[in-house]
Amino acid sequence: MTKIDNSHLPSRHVTEGPARAPHRSYFYAMGISEEEIKQPWVGVATCWNEAAPCNISLNRQAQAVKMGVKSAQGTPREFTTITVTDGIAMGHEGMRSSLASREAIADTVELTMRGHCYDALVGLAGCDKSLPGMMMAMVRLNTPSVFIYGGSILPGRLDGKDVTVQDVFEAVGQHQAGNYSDEQLAILERVACPSAGACGGQFTANTMACVSEAIGLALPNSSGAPAPYESRDSYGEASGVAVMNLIEKNIRARDIVTRRSLENAARIVACTGGSTNAGLHLPAIAHEAGIDFDLDDVCDIFRETPYFVDLKPGGQYVAKDLYEAGGVPVVLNELRKAGLIHEDCMTVTGHSMGEELDRITRKADGKVIFEVETPITPTGGVVGLKGNLAPEGAIVKVAGIPTQHQRFVGPARVFESEEEAFEAVKARTYKEGEVLVIRNEGPAGGPGMREMLATTAALSGQGMGKKVALITDGRFSGATRGFCVGHVGPESAHGGPIATLIDGDIITIDATTGELSVNLTDDELAERKENWKGPKETIYASGALWKYARLVGSAKLGACTHPGAKEEKHVYMDL
């Protein structure tokens, strides 16, 4: 690699000239040489912590990244940020911190990069909100950037079958129904998560890992290898080299993240039956680039994309199986065969998506990855809904749900919080055929837009997943299955129609036509809105969640907390 001219890079503000002698003295204190001070500086950001298995291997992988940066004549500086891990935050007050943590991750990475004037960013993340948060920071800063996923967990084994944490959540429901003993539950919980890494199905972490490749911010196939595999370290080292190449060529994050690459990313979510949370995170990443790409746009892509990768929770296989079948590049090649990939999009390799896919020789195995001509279903595994109950839209995951079961009409059973709904499910006081409505759980009203996995998993465990439906202005875990509609907007706290529902209102959910409606006229809805007593008061009157509730925007636009690139007056890299 040729020596990079750093006279216009941000690091010059802390390394060049007599006035920066105090700054350089700090660098010498850390053992940084004179030559290293003069090289481009690369922030190596990780979400490492000891909170959960998805983050525990990130520190090891960061060392490989640093080796790659050094080998390409760069100066790496490692720093960490927070993570809130959904699996452990699930089903209690802690889940309110989850979506808010995405913003905190993006904000803290931005502040560290700005404060220390780093020239480029390699970001490592392993959990649901840390992946989009890290990618949002890259696009916001518009630095040369490479993303690396920490890798998935290995599946557990019980009675000759693969098991994941999804099975444990659903076993809780079976236990409540009296169909699973204390002893069985104790065995399952000990074997379901046997290694480091993020949850193994096509839940949010693995969905966004696939997105990182499809959008072009990660090296091809880098998302696939499970976290325990030391082969991941070779991707880390290659990512360190890649970011130095991007600095040399002045290829920045917004050169990679475009409207067309966002469409590629939405395709990979749809065809793999990915998490509905992508309907939040893709608009949020677009927001950082000043690109109009909201929930409606995401759902348009979902609607016209075949579903052909058989992954849990709707299917049979886990991330390790996808990796062994050839990974994301093989899936993207199948999409290309159908003309569903924009091949001209730039990637972190410095080559276009089409050029990268030209190198792929493996074919769909017909087991994990079906050929695009013979998909599992002709439309995506995630569907957008709209109607008088959701004027700003909603989203439902239909992967694994037969077409004949994708319409549900029934009376509303309204709950004012997830806890209230979970208690009803646990006590089995709900009825078959009802539409369970959980409100006051949106981004602002929750606050924090909690996921409802504890409730949906309990329903599935009780064998009621197909006998009731559930709608909420909150979210669902990527591990959710059953007819569960999230992101209903406007949310209850903002006076959306969901705020005025009462028990017995007849609700129609139709994933084949994209309808979410209540059997009320416009005049009746207007009258209810006029008589609405206002948003439910929360207990969060100070602190981070108070601040988040006042800043956060609508789910349709990604639940963001700042104006985005459309309002920016400078780009960090050009200061």
Side-chain angles (χ1 to χ4, degrees), residues 24 60 80 103 153 163 166 243 246 255 277-278 288 307-309 314 363 371 387 394 400 408 476 491:
R24 292 191 293 271
R60 182 201 89 218
T80 59
E103 312 310 303
I153 200 169
V163 290
Q166 174 194 350
V243 81
L246 294 177
D255 297 321
N277 283 308
E288 301 290 354
Y307 162 50
F308 58 85
V309 185
K363 306 295 183 183
E371 291 189 355
F408 197 103
F476 291 113
E491 63 172 290

Side-chain angles (χ1 to χ4, degrees), residues 237-259:
E237 189 167 354
S239 295
V241 173
V243 81
M244 293 300 297
N245 181 53
L246 294 177
I247 297 173
E248 183 179 6
K249 294 181 177 179
N250 193 28
I251 297 173
R252 304 181 183 185
R254 294 185 201 173
D255 297 321
I256 292 168
V257 176
T258 63
R259 170 69 190 231

Side-chain angles (χ1 to χ4, degrees), residues 54-285:
C54 44
N55 310 308
I56 205 74
S57 71
L58 295 176
N59 177 268
R60 182 201 89 218
Q61 296 181 47
Q63 308 320 305
V65 173
K66 289 156 68 177
M67 288 174 59
V69 172
K70 288 180 178 181
S71 73
Q73 300 173 36
T75 302
R77 304 312 293 161
E78 182 180 356
F79 65 92
T80 59
T81 184
I82 69 160
T83 314
V84 173
T85 299
D86 286 13
I88 292 173
M90 192 73 66
H92 54 86
E93 285 293 304
M95 179 49 74
R96 300 194 191 282
S97 300
S98 169
L99 187 57
S101 76
R102 185 191 73 180
E103 312 310 303
I105 290 163
D107 291 351
T108 52
V109 171
E110 176 195 359
L111 291 172
T112 303
M113 293 286 290
R114 284 183 180 276
H116 295 274
C117 299
Y118 295 151
D119 302 318
L121 175 62
V122 180
L124 298 92
C127 198
D128 294 7
K129 306 309 172 298
S130 59
L131 278 81
M134 193 66 73
M135 287 185 266
M136 287 163 65
M138 293 172 174
V139 179
R140 184 186 302 179
L141 291 161
N142 198 24
T143 56
S145 302
V146 179
F147 177 83
I148 312 177
Y149 180 40
S152 74
I153 200 169
L154 293 169
R157 293 288 289 178
L158 184 62
D159 299 329
K161 296 180 180 178
D162 283 352
V163 290
T164 70
V165 72
Q166 174 194 350
D167 297 285
V168 186
F169 274 104
E170 293 184 2
V172 172
Q174 294 181 49
H175 181 269
Q176 290 164 355
N179 300 324
Y180 212 78
S181 69
D182 290 346
E183 293 75 19
Q184 287 175 299
L185 195 59
I187 292 169
L188 177 60
E189 71 183 46
R190 283 166 171 79
V191 301
C193 299
S195 75
C199 300
Q202 193 66 340
F203 313 149
T204 306
N206 281 316
T207 297
M208 295 309 296
C210 292
V211 161
S212 71
E213 287 191 45
I215 210 170
L217 284 173
L219 293 176
N221 211 30
S222 63
S223 69
Y229 289 14
E230 292 196 6
S231 59
R232 290 209 62 80
D233 293 356
S234 64
Y235 285 107
E237 189 167 354
S239 295
V241 173
V243 81
M244 293 300 297
N245 181 53
L246 294 177
I247 297 173
E248 183 179 6
K249 294 181 177 179
N250 193 28
I251 297 173
R252 304 181 183 185
R254 294 185 201 173
D255 297 321
I256 292 168
V257 176
T258 63
R259 170 69 190 231
R260 290 165 73 83
S261 72
L262 286 159
E263 291 176 358
N264 287 347
R267 297 279 186 209
I268 202 82
V269 176
C271 73
T272 60
S275 170
T276 55
N277 283 308
L280 273 179
H281 301 323
L282 290 177
I285 294 169

